Amino acid sequence: MWITPEEVLLANALWVSERANPFFILQRRKGHGKGGGITGLLVGTMDVVLDSSARVAPYRILHQTGDSQIFCSIACGSSRKEITEHWEWLETNLLQTLSIFDNNEDITTFVKGKISGIIAEENKSKAALEDEDSGKFREAELKMRKLFGMPGEEKLVNYYSCSYWKGRVPRQGWVYLSVNHLCFYSLLLGKEVTLVVQWTEVTRLEKNATLLFPESVRVSTRHTEHYFSMFLNVNDTFKLMEQLATIAMRQLLDNESFAADHSLPKACKTLKNVSALKRDLDARAKNERYRALFRLTQDERLDGHTDCTLWTPFAKMHIVGQLFVSNNYICFCSREEDLCQLIIPLREVSIVEKADSSSVLPCPVSISTKNKMTFLFANLKDRDFLVQRISDFLQRTPESGHSVSQSEGRCAGSPSPSTTPLSSSLPTPTGAAGEPSQRRHYSPSLPTATQSLLHIYQKDAPEEHGPKATKEKMKEESWNIHFLEFGRGVCMYRTSKTRELVLNGIPESLRGELWLLFSGAQNEMDTHPGYYAERVEQAMGRCTLATEEIERDLHRSMPEHHAFQNEMGIAALRRVLTAYACRNPGIGYCQAMNIVTSVLLLYCTEEEAFWLLVALCERMLPDYYNTRVVGALVDQGVFEELTRACLPFLYEHMQELGVISTISLSWFLTLFLSVMPFDSAVLLVDCFFYEGIKVIFQVALAVLHANMDTLLDCNDEGEAMTILGRYLDNVVNKQTVSPPIPHLHALLTSGDEPPPQIDVFQLIKSSCEKFGSLRADVIEQMRFHQRLKVIQSLEDTAKRSVVRAIMTDSAFSIEELEELYVHFKAKHIMSCYWGASTTAAERHDPSLPYLEQYRIDLGQFCQLFGALGTWLCGTHTATLAARLFRLLDMNKDGLINFKEFVTGLSGMYHGDMTEKLKLLYNLHLPPALCPEEAESALEATQFFTDDTPQGTHTLMHCIQCNIVISVSEVKDYKYYLRMWAMENEPKKETIKDLRRMNQEQFIELCKTLYNMFSEDPLEQELYHAIATVASLLLRIGEVGKKFTNNGANKPTDTTNAQAPAPAAELLQPEKEEPDGESSSGQSLVCRALAEAQLETLPQQTSDEEVKDDTSVSSYSMVSTGSLQCEDIADDTVLIGCAGDQQRQGSILEGDWSITFEQVLASMLTEPPLVDYFEKKGDIQARMAICKMQRRVERQVSSSSDHELAQLST
């Protein structure tokens, strides 16, 4: 590329001049390409280690005038081809112009101006995003694509200097982290090391420090392990690797390809080694941590954060922490964990003002809300900018009424008449009974419950005055005091005292309100008024797989509770579940969602339960309720890891029994609601909504710890399950005021002697004391490691399931099918990030069986066909692959699944001669042969309607041997039942069931055969055999045509009878013989065969050349222009045609046809053809070549410069 002219003092240091003229010199860097000796090896090694190759291209062009020792670099190139193009442009456009100048200074000025102008024009056409990246980074990205053969769609995120351990020897080089690949390159003393690993193949990624590998990163795949060490900043590198691996796992799970965020604000200055993608990923990581910390929605994006202090009126002190600002929220988190947390939605803000600054309270900002709460932040570094950003976000907030004051003299909390808080018009936060204002969003016809089910069924119950009721009243009073001191609603201060109240149990009257508050569902519900009613109306009357599963499980949801023993509770549960299935069809419905939702409905209205379910499924328990319960399996792996760390002796024994993986799945999926009495389990739900999944892990570990002695004495899995089941059945809540609810699991597992009861509050307290050191960030790190393992394990399970499903219908071995599945899936995954004609979501449907989930389009099938197919036809291969794709595409959606793909390959590899010829024959009939390829195919099909079965031949009629039967007469019902049974029975198609082939289709078949034989060792024998068969079949078709037309066309219109005459005249320039029609048909085959070899043979052949050719071999190749078709000997191969006329499909005879039986019988007369089609293909060799294809591409890329040098000379 052209570069800004720069002076070079030492032109020959480390460079070799290859071309020169009076004004320019083309140079190659030592160590690049072949040769160079020891100096070249040292320079090449230095360039790799010091990253000089990213700054210094291997080729450059210098400008020099006269005897000056100062040179000027004007161009550089990564390959000889690129630099040669620049050199030729200079010689063509500048040499003559420069020779006119008399002054050397004028020449240099002119060259610099010309090059600068070219660079300016090129910069105008560059994309805006690309301009964000520094020049050095763009060169590193180009180098990566060149070294590893990556397409332009592969984007580099960052690259680092490190050592790759190959055996016990470290190789210093550079690791390139792209969106989809981890690549490494090293060149030390002439020895090249190249490594490419797809992120989707990574099964384990960990950072460790050992004596052998200090500060190393281990990247594990299914077959190998790779170690990288000596990073300058191993933590940053590892975090980026984790992000890229997570994106790849999400790709495998949901088929969501990576999409760069182009809405990021541009950097203030171009960073030296940071790409726009790296900034994007860093922003995503910050957003995820921010959303997880404050339980915010997935679309919330962090704008920035800063250190500050918050004045806490309840403690009368300033708390040090961080202030976070996003597009809809202002949040605060104390530096000390659990000391104070605050969430202020911008929709609740009424005033933002800068208060008076003092030495005690420097740079304060006061924020007032509509419910008359004021928050004072101080010690802000850039207060003016912060207030301006908050002001900008407030203006974009849908609700009006915000006020931003820039007054410096006002005190915090003293509103002025001009900025009165607009809190009088805002209702208080919704309680458990719901707000009347929310009812306007519902359609009058919707029987939506606006109160919790527990409130409905207990409103007529007599009030209790016992000790339990008194205890409940005291809890309510404690919370009311807390609300007065810390605030109520979404802007409440959340402190350690709040946590203590939650651990002591939330009173039933406040449970729904606080669940909404702590989970973040309140914010989502307030910002989406009427959304739930819309989803309910949308889901009404719809019948899907999710709705059918919901109907089956409705009466299994807490059947022991009286709220779900009537239609009101069942209908409410149905509406919530179907509304969520309508909102998130990717999840739809999963078992255990009904149990959790039924508990939510007891304490919340329908709309509140819906938004709590959204928070559970999409934020708090990610991927728990999808089709493969990946999230629950991930947390099950985390639980096993925690058990090994906290209870090592018990872990070893439990692993031998296989108990942990059995018990933990139901614990996590239902949050203990299905294994513990309801009144006790709901207290765990209280803690879960406040502290997250950490509480479930703590309680699960506490349960194992409490039963450690008895579990260690167990001898089998059943005994251990019984012990744990009885323990959980007897965890009781002695403070509940609700009537006891019988626990079905307890009734089924109860023995003769009831075990002692366990107080649930003591269990929660014990779990916090023993395992309270668990931290959310540690759990997330463990989740990442387990997610890699779980998803890859599920992919292996899917592969085995697919292979088992089709192994009985395929002749391939299990190992071959597994390898084919890997190649098929790799093409599908690759299309997700390198582009395809259809989107990834269309090709992947997780709700389908494993066999049909992954599908590929025509372009990907053609690539696989070229790599794995046996019928390769040179340039004709793509055409044949497209025909096979159309034949396999049963539903005509432009996609085929793995079973259809294997069906096509199996016919080529393991069929006998008859089956292979049937497949090849069908590839030249509709629908495989499209109208563009065979112009007269439609007319021929219409002409031979009586000869083919009635009905439409679809794709799998040819492959799966189904025959369409049509009945024109009216029959009784028994006849139709028999016909229906016959149609459902798999019928084996015979060769008589194949439709007839017309002349145009036969010519296409001959062309395909001719191309298939072009690379075979027995090429000449096969050419002779197919020419003999083609001549014979043409004569057979003509004879059949005469029998068909004998006496039939004479009484009809004479113009139709004379139609073939001009065709014969066009195709046969010489005087027509009595058998002119046969000669006309034969000449068509001659022309078709000639077209197939048009590039390798001259258009005209002299008589001398013909004689020379006939003397070389007994199978002579002659031109049909000099020999009549009826005079062709049996050992002659037809390669030419008479004259130069082009074949025209419109003049072919429409009543010429042959059958598959005739084709098969003719082929069987030629031993070379029989041997060719009876030969078995080696799929293992083809797959090995396909597997090595990427490595071969990289080697070609590395040596392309030397090859271009050979061509240029």
Side-chain angles (χ1 to χ4, degrees):
M1 63 180 178
W2 302 106
I3 60 176
T4 304
E6 296 179 355
E7 290 186 355
V8 178
L9 296 179
L10 299 175
N12 294 321
L14 307 181
W15 293 87
V16 178
S17 298
E18 295 194 343
R19 295 188 185 183
N21 58 41
F23 303 103
F24 303 103
I25 302 174
L26 190 153
Q27 293 185 329
R28 173 179 57 84
R29 189 167 178 84
K30 293 180 181 179
H32 187 82
K34 293 189 176 181
I38 187 64
T39 305
L41 291 177
L42 293 176
V43 173
T45 302
M46 182 181 66
D47 285 344
V48 172
V49 174
L50 301 180
D51 195 25
S52 301
S53 54
R55 293 188 298 269
V56 182
Y59 298 94
R60 70 179 182 182
I61 297 177
L62 303 180
H63 167 62
Q64 180 192 25
T65 56
D67 298 330
S68 175
Q69 297 300 318
I70 298 178
F71 297 82
C72 185
S73 62
I74 60 174
C76 65
S78 59
S79 65
R80 185 179 294 275
K81 181 180 179 181
E82 179 184 2
I83 205 67
T84 302
E85 291 176 356
H86 290 344
W87 179 266
E88 292 175 352
W89 187 90
L90 291 172
E91 289 184 331
T92 304
N93 297 279
L94 291 187
L95 278 185
Q96 293 183 355
T97 304
L98 295 179
S99 62
I100 301 175
F101 289 91
D102 297 330
N103 191 343
N104 291 336
E105 294 181 359
D106 294 340
I107 294 176
T108 302
T109 303
F110 178 81
V111 170
K112 289 183 177 181
K114 189 68 176 178
I115 300 302
S116 299
I118 295 174
I119 295 174
E121 289 295 326
E122 289 180 348
N123 289 337
K124 290 181 180 179
S125 60
K126 288 183 179 179
L129 181 62
E130 186 179 359
D131 289 340
E132 291 185 19
D133 297 335
S134 64
K136 179 182 177 182
F137 188 88
R138 287 199 297 270
E139 293 216 14
E141 187 172 43
L142 292 174
K143 178 186 175 184
M144 179 204 71
R145 293 173 185 165
K146 174 178 176 294
L147 287 173
F148 307 105
M150 299 291 179
E153 293 85 358
E154 185 70 7
K155 302 297 183 183
L156 178 66
V157 180
N158 213 345
Y159 62 105
Y160 304 92
S161 172
C162 70
S163 292
Y164 169 61
W165 291 80
K166 192 172 183 181
R168 296 185 178 181
V169 179
R171 300 297 181 93
Q172 184 67 27
W174 293 85
V175 61
Y176 297 86
L177 304 181
S178 68
V179 175
N180 306 293
H181 296 86
L182 180 152
C183 307
F184 177 83
Y185 179 77
S186 173
L187 178 64
L188 296 178
L189 300 178
K191 291 186 178 182
E192 188 179 48
V193 176
T194 306
L195 173 70
V196 177
V197 178
Q198 284 189 350
W199 290 116
T200 52
E201 296 296 324
V202 174
T203 59
R204 190 176 182 86
L205 184 66
E206 60 182 354
K207 180 180 62 174
N208 50 24
T210 62
L211 185 61
L212 183 60
F213 303 112
E215 288 277 314
S216 64
V217 174
R218 182 173 69 174
V219 181
S220 303
T221 62
R222 288 179 174 83
H223 308 293
T224 57
E225 291 184 347
H226 308 283
Y227 289 89
F228 302 88
S229 65
M230 297 183 68
F231 290 96
L232 295 178
N233 193 332
V234 68
N235 293 325
D236 289 347
T237 307
F238 186 72
K239 286 180 181 179
L240 181 57
M241 287 181 173
E242 283 185 330
Q243 280 185 280
L244 295 172
T246 301
I247 292 172
M249 293 305 104
R250 180 58 55 185
Q251 202 175 80
L252 290 175
L253 187 61
D254 297 332
N255 247 60
E256 294 181 359
S257 58
F258 176 79
D261 187 0
H262 299 295
S263 62
L264 281 175
K266 290 189 176 181
C268 300
K269 61 180 180 179
T270 303
L271 302 177
K272 185 177 181 182
N273 285 328
V274 179
S275 65
L277 276 177
K278 180 65 167 60
R279 291 178 52 237
D280 181 7
L281 291 174
D282 290 342
R284 293 182 187 215
K286 292 179 180 178
N287 290 335
E288 289 175 3
R289 289 194 296 269
Y290 170 64
R291 291 192 294 259
L293 181 61
F294 298 104
R295 307 276 174 81
L296 303 179
T297 57
Q298 297 296 327
D299 57 349
E300 198 64 24
R301 297 173 56 176
L302 179 64
D303 186 70
H305 59 90
T306 182
D307 294 332
C308 69
T309 59
L310 171 66
W311 170 254
T312 53
F314 54 88
K316 301 295 188 294
M317 61 179 294
H318 292 275
I319 296 179
V320 179
Q322 281 192 321
L323 181 70
F324 301 83
V325 178
S326 60
N327 47 341
N328 293 300
Y329 298 91
I330 301 172
C331 302
F332 174 84
C333 183
S334 61
R335 185 175 297 174
E336 184 180 346
E337 190 176 4
D338 292 335
L339 186 58
C340 182
Q341 193 182 80
L342 184 65
I343 302 174
I344 309 174
L346 291 181
R347 66 180 185 275
E348 300 289 333
V349 174
S350 59
I351 301 175
V352 178
E353 59 183 354
K354 294 184 288 186
D356 292 336
S357 181
S358 65
S359 58
V360 179
L361 200 64
C363 300
V365 171
S366 174
I367 299 176
S368 300
T369 62
K370 297 175 182 179
N371 58 354
K372 299 181 180 179
M373 294 184 68
T374 301
F375 305 96
L376 185 63
F377 300 93
N379 292 282
L380 295 164
K381 294 181 180 178
D382 196 347
R383 182 176 61 167
D384 295 337
F385 177 76
L386 175 65
V387 171
Q388 183 60 43
R389 290 302 294 167
I390 296 176
S391 175
D392 294 339
F393 287 129
L394 283 173
Q395 292 176 2
R396 303 172 197 169
T397 304
E399 294 187 14
S400 59
H402 311 291
S403 176
V404 180
S405 175
Q406 301 293 336
S407 173
E408 291 285 341
R410 300 232 347 261
C411 295
S414 58
S416 66
S418 61
T419 57
T420 303
L422 303 177
S423 59
S424 58
S425 61
L426 183 73
T428 57
T430 58
E435 285 290 328
S437 61
Q438 295 291 332
R439 298 178 185 175
R440 69 179 185 274
H441 302 301
Y442 297 119
S443 171
S445 60
L446 285 178
T448 307
T450 56
Q451 291 182 336
S452 64
L453 295 179
L454 210 59
H455 179 80
I456 293 174
Y457 283 96
Q458 290 183 354
K459 62 182 179 180
D460 297 330
E463 185 177 358
E464 295 185 8
H465 299 282
K468 292 183 178 180
T470 305
K471 186 75 172 178
E472 188 75 4
K473 294 282 186 183
M474 293 175 61
K475 285 185 181 179
E476 293 179 6
E477 188 62 25
S478 299
W479 277 98
N480 289 330
I481 295 173
H482 185 274
F483 291 150
L484 291 174
E485 187 175 0
F486 296 90
R488 186 169 187 173
V490 290
C491 299
M492 179 179 68
Y493 291 98
R494 307 178 191 196
T495 65
S496 55
K497 189 173 182 180
T498 311
R499 180 174 179 270
E500 291 177 6
L501 289 176
V502 172
L503 293 179
N504 290 328
I506 299 176
E508 291 185 354
S509 60
L510 298 175
R511 185 162 276 149
E513 175 187 348
L514 294 176
W515 282 0
L516 286 169
L517 178 64
F518 296 145
S519 66
Q522 182 72 58
N523 290 318
E524 205 162 3
M525 186 175 70
D526 290 345
T527 54
H528 295 81
Y531 180 89
Y532 170 68
E534 293 174 2
R535 298 287 81 76
V536 171
E537 290 179 339
Q538 185 179 353
M540 272 186 164
R542 295 178 59 181
C543 183
T544 62
L545 179 62
T547 57
E548 293 177 1
E549 293 176 347
I550 289 171
E551 290 297 328
R552 284 199 302 266
D553 287 348
L554 283 177
H555 295 278
R556 305 173 187 171
S557 308
M558 294 189 67
E560 66 276 9
H561 199 287
H562 56 273
F564 296 99
Q565 294 172 356
N566 56 72
E567 187 56 32
M568 178 182 293
I570 296 296
L573 181 61
R574 177 188 293 111
R575 285 190 293 269
V576 174
L577 291 175
T578 54
Y580 184 78
C582 182
R583 165 190 168 88
N584 194 342
I587 292 179
Y589 172 77
C590 175
Q591 286 186 347
M593 286 175 65
N594 60 321
I595 297 175
V596 175
T597 307
S598 60
V599 175
L600 300 179
L601 282 169
L602 290 176
Y603 301 98
C604 307
T605 67
E606 278 188 34
E607 185 178 16
E608 293 169 347
F610 171 80
W611 287 113
L612 279 171
L613 185 62
V614 170
L616 275 174
C617 296
E618 299 176 12
R619 296 196 302 274
M620 301 190 71
L621 297 175
D623 301 323
Y624 258 61
Y625 301 107
N626 56 21
T627 54
R628 296 190 281 183
V629 292
V630 174
L633 293 175
V634 169
D635 281 350
Q636 177 181 295
V638 173
F639 180 58
E640 291 186 14
E641 196 171 341
L642 289 173
T643 306
R644 180 172 56 185
C646 301
L647 307 170
F649 296 106
L650 180 61
Y651 170 79
E652 294 179 2
H653 185 66
M654 296 283 280
Q655 282 296 100
E656 295 176 0
L657 301 179
V659 177
I660 295 181
S661 59
T662 306
I663 61 174
S664 57
L665 192 61
S666 61
W667 294 2
F668 292 112
L669 273 175
T670 63
L671 304 176
F672 285 96
L673 289 168
S674 63
V675 296
M676 194 180 287
F678 170 75
D679 294 327
S680 303
V682 76
L683 293 176
L684 300 183
V685 178
D686 293 343
C687 302
F688 167 76
F689 277 122
Y690 185 79
E691 292 196 295
I693 194 65
K694 179 178 72 170
V695 174
I696 305 300
F697 284 120
Q698 290 175 352
V699 172
L701 290 171
V703 170
L704 293 183
H705 184 269
N707 295 273
M708 181 185 298
D709 295 335
T710 53
L711 288 174
L712 288 174
D713 295 334
C714 293
N715 297 320
D716 56 41
E717 178 185 357
E719 186 179 355
M721 293 284 292
T722 303
I723 291 173
L724 291 174
R726 288 189 177 183
Y727 179 86
L728 292 173
D729 291 338
N730 288 275
V731 176
V732 297
N733 179 9
K734 300 178 180 179
Q735 299 179 9
T736 181
V737 294
S738 300
I741 301 173
H743 186 43
L744 292 182
H745 188 266
L747 297 176
L748 295 174
T749 59
S750 60
D752 297 334
E753 297 181 3
Q757 293 183 341
I758 300 95
D759 189 358
V760 65
F761 293 101
Q762 290 296 325
L763 178 62
I764 295 175
K765 182 180 179 182
S766 173
S767 68
C768 294
E769 291 175 351
K770 291 184 174 66
F771 308 103
S773 59
L774 286 180
R775 292 183 14 229
D777 56 342
V778 175
I779 292 176
E780 285 301 318
Q781 185 68 27
M782 297 170 70
R783 275 179 165 179
F784 166 75
H785 294 301
Q786 293 298 326
R787 191 177 294 114
L788 291 178
K789 185 188 302 182
V790 167
I791 293 180
Q792 296 292 9
S793 176
L794 289 174
E795 291 297 313
D796 292 339
T797 302
K799 179 175 67 175
R800 290 191 294 269
S801 300
V802 169
V803 169
R804 283 197 301 268
I806 65 175
M807 61 181 296
T808 56
D809 301 328
S810 173
F812 291 113
S813 65
I814 295 178
E815 293 76 13
E816 291 172 346
L817 286 174
E818 289 182 349
E819 189 68 23
L820 284 173
Y821 180 82
V822 170
H823 289 292
F824 185 88
K825 179 184 165 185
K827 279 296 175 187
H828 171 86
I829 295 295
M830 192 178 297
S831 66
C832 297
Y833 51 78
W834 282 353
S837 58
T838 54
T839 62
E842 294 174 354
R843 292 190 302 276
H844 180 74
D845 187 355
S847 63
L848 294 175
Y850 288 134
L851 186 61
E852 303 177 9
Q853 283 190 11
Y854 293 113
R855 295 181 290 174
I856 59 175
D857 58 18
L858 175 59
Q860 298 153 351
F861 177 80
C862 290
Q863 295 174 9
L864 285 176
F865 183 87
L868 301 174
T870 57
W871 295 344
L872 303 183
C873 310
T875 57
H876 193 65
T877 302
T879 303
L880 189 64
R883 293 173 185 171
L884 181 58
F885 182 85
R886 287 191 290 269
L887 189 66
L888 297 173
D889 187 11
M890 180 173 59
N891 54 3
K892 306 302 178 187
D893 61 349
L895 300 170
I896 64 171
N897 59 34
F898 181 66
K899 182 177 181 180
E900 295 165 340
F901 172 72
V902 171
T903 300
L905 281 186
S906 183
M908 287 189 291
Y909 275 97
H910 295 288
D912 56 17
M913 180 178 180
T914 303
E915 292 174 350
K916 291 180 180 178
L917 285 177
K918 277 174 60 177
L919 178 58
L920 196 61
Y921 185 87
N922 284 321
L923 289 179
H924 296 82
L925 294 175
L929 193 72
C930 62
E932 292 78 6
E933 294 175 326
E935 299 173 0
S936 63
L938 180 60
E939 291 82 355
T941 304
Q942 295 173 350
F943 185 85
F944 294 109
T945 303
D946 296 336
D947 297 329
T948 57
Q950 295 184 5
T952 303
H953 285 268
T954 57
L955 152 77
M956 300 310 287
H957 284 105
C958 301
I959 301 299
Q960 296 180 346
C961 310
N962 293 327
I963 303 174
V964 178
I965 301 175
S966 63
V967 182
S968 57
E969 301 178 9
V970 178
K971 305 290 182 180
D972 61 2
Y973 73 95
K974 294 182 180 180
Y975 175 83
Y976 288 111
L977 287 176
R978 289 195 299 270
M979 290 297 100
W980 176 78
M982 292 174 59
E983 289 177 358
N984 287 332
E985 290 180 1
K987 300 181 179 64
K988 186 174 182 180
E989 187 181 48
T990 64
I991 58 177
K992 294 183 179 180
D993 297 322
L994 298 176
R995 71 178 75 183
R996 302 175 70 92
M997 178 178 284
N998 65 21
Q999 200 171 74
E1000 180 76 10
Q1001 296 160 357
F1002 175 68
I1003 293 171
E1004 291 294 331
L1005 175 61
C1006 291
K1007 289 173 63 176
T1008 299
L1009 289 170
Y1010 190 90
N1011 284 282
M1012 285 171 57
F1013 303 152
S1014 61
E1015 298 179 2
D1016 195 272
L1018 302 177
E1019 178 182 2
Q1020 295 300 324
E1021 289 85 347
L1022 291 170
Y1023 285 163
H1024 163 72
I1026 193 57
T1028 304
V1029 170
S1031 300
L1032 176 60
L1033 289 172
L1034 282 170
R1035 291 190 179 94
I1036 292 174
E1038 293 297 337
V1039 172
K1041 171 185 169 184
K1042 289 181 180 180
F1043 276 105
T1044 303
N1045 295 337
N1046 188 19
N1049 293 331
K1050 291 180 180 180
T1052 59
D1053 188 24
T1054 57
T1055 58
N1056 294 334
Q1058 297 176 356
E1065 294 176 2
L1066 287 172
L1067 295 169
Q1068 190 72 1
E1070 299 184 8
K1071 185 176 180 179
E1072 188 174 339
E1073 298 294 331
D1075 196 13
E1077 292 181 351
S1078 177
S1079 301
S1080 171
Q1082 290 174 358
S1083 64
L1084 285 174
V1085 178
C1086 300
R1087 291 169 182 264
L1089 298 178
E1091 287 180 1
Q1093 206 181 24
L1094 192 60
E1095 298 177 357
T1096 59
L1097 294 177
Q1099 294 182 355
Q1100 297 179 353
T1101 306
S1102 63
D1103 295 339
E1104 291 77 6
E1105 291 171 340
V1106 170
K1107 292 178 181 179
D1108 293 338
D1109 290 337
T1110 56
S1111 62
V1112 171
S1113 173
S1114 61
Y1115 307 112
S1116 60
M1117 297 189 295
V1118 299
S1119 171
T1120 57
S1122 60
L1123 184 64
Q1124 294 297 321
C1125 290
E1126 55 267 29
D1127 297 330
I1128 296 177
D1130 292 338
D1131 59 350
T1132 304
V1133 178
L1134 304 176
I1135 63 167
C1137 60
D1140 297 328
Q1141 293 87 354
Q1142 297 295 325
R1143 173 172 54 87
Q1144 301 179 14
S1146 60
I1147 61 177
L1148 295 174
E1149 295 84 345
D1151 49 3
W1152 185 99
S1153 68
I1154 58 175
T1155 65
F1156 175 74
E1157 294 171 288
Q1158 294 166 345
V1159 173
L1160 177 61
S1162 303
M1163 292 278 192
L1164 289 173
T1165 61
E1166 296 295 330
L1169 293 177
V1170 175
D1171 294 340
Y1172 180 85
F1173 284 103
E1174 288 288 351
K1175 182 173 57 178
K1176 298 294 183 181
D1178 187 3
I1179 188 67
Q1180 292 284 2
R1182 303 293 302 181
M1183 288 190 294
I1185 294 174
C1186 185
K1187 195 173 182 179
M1188 296 291 292
Q1189 186 176 4
R1190 294 296 302 166
R1191 188 177 302 176
V1192 171
E1193 288 178 0
R1194 293 195 297 272
Q1195 291 175 354
V1196 171
S1197 175
S1198 301
S1199 60
S1200 59
D1201 296 332
H1202 179 68
E1203 295 174 1
L1204 290 171
Q1206 299 280 343
L1207 294 174
S1208 63
T1209 54

